[in-house]
Amino acid sequence: METLQESTLNIIREKCSPDWVLGIFNGHVIVNLPNSGEEPRLAYKKAKKEITGCIKEYLPERNIDILIEVRSGSLNCSFKLALTL
């Protein structure tokens, strides 16, 4: 049976950007953004918005938090999508 992190990773892979390198580490979904020349904080904000929208659409009911770390160049930022039940 697929874990919530694996489901999240698969949704991000299928519905968000195919250029992102994804993984799971210590219960976090890791999203490595490609070097696009874009300012890292702006790239992070765009990725967070896109990921949040996908998860809310495809995993609207969650019984645990989803922890996501986005890496863009030297910038590592994390956010949590809180449980919904």
Side-chain angles (χ1 to χ4, degrees):
M1 185 167 169
E2 197 171 61
T3 67
L4 182 59
Q5 289 84 6
E6 291 168 335
S7 296
T8 301
L9 184 132
N10 289 329
I11 288 169
I12 292 170
R13 180 176 287 126
E14 292 174 21
K15 305 298 180 186
C16 295
S17 177
D19 296 333
W20 297 348
V21 178
L22 306 171
I24 298 172
F25 183 74
N26 280 347
H28 288 76
V29 175
I30 308 297
V31 180
N32 290 293
L33 304 180
N35 185 2
S36 65
E38 187 172 39
E39 199 277 316
R41 289 206 182 277
L42 183 58
Y44 164 74
K45 288 178 182 180
K46 286 182 178 179
K48 180 180 177 183
K49 182 177 180 180
E50 190 170 350
I51 292 166
T52 300
C54 283
I55 299 308
K56 285 183 177 182
E57 181 177 350
Y58 294 99
L59 287 174
E61 296 181 8
R62 303 176 299 279
N63 58 0
I64 62 172
D65 297 334
I66 300 173
L67 304 171
I68 299 177
E69 181 175 334
V70 178
R71 298 174 180 172
S72 178
S74 61
L75 180 72
N76 290 343
C77 293
S78 298
F79 65 96
K80 172 175 72 172
L81 297 171
L83 62 92
T84 56
L85 298 178

